[in-house]
Amino acid sequence: MAKFYYLEKLSQQTIKYQIHSEGCALLPAWGKRDFLGTFYHERDAIKVSRLRHLATAPCSQCFENPRKYQIKL
Ligand SMILES: [Zn+2]
């Protein structure tokens, strides 16, 4: 089943983002997140997010396999 994915900007000074899926407990308020897209697999969410922003990392709470996609921010 497809899920909505969102980008959370981690800081105003830097361009670092964390990706969350819908229903995540750590998802920020509406004003602080950007809709990324609807994806069937988290790997697709990562792929698309890195086309838009280079520094994106998966949330460790809502990704099934965050380590696989982890990058050093
Ligand atoms: Zn999350």
Side-chain angles (χ1 to χ4, degrees), residues 15-27:
I15 44 161
K16 296 174 181 172
Y17 295 84
Q18 191 156 53
I19 309 169
H20 297 278
S21 64
E22 61 181 289
C24 176
L26 299 178
L27 202 54

Side-chain angles (χ1 to χ4, degrees), residues 20 24 59 61-62:
H20 297 278
C24 176
C59 171
Q61 294 285 312
C62 59

Side-chain angles (χ1 to χ4, degrees), residues 2-27:
K3 277 190 206 170
F4 294 150
Y5 284 86
Y6 298 93
L7 288 174
E8 174 187 14
K9 193 171 188 183
L10 294 177
S11 144
Q12 290 303 318
Q13 281 76 42
T14 59
I15 44 161
K16 296 174 181 172
Y17 295 84
Q18 191 156 53
I19 309 169
H20 297 278
S21 64
E22 61 181 289
C24 176
L26 299 178
L27 202 54

Side-chain angles (χ1 to χ4, degrees), residues 8 12-13 16 22-23 32 34 37 44 56-58 69 72:
E8 174 187 14
Q12 290 303 318
Q13 281 76 42
K16 296 174 181 172
E22 61 181 289
K32 293 181 178 168
D34 285 332
D44 299 320
T56 62
Y69 307 105
K72 200 167 165 55

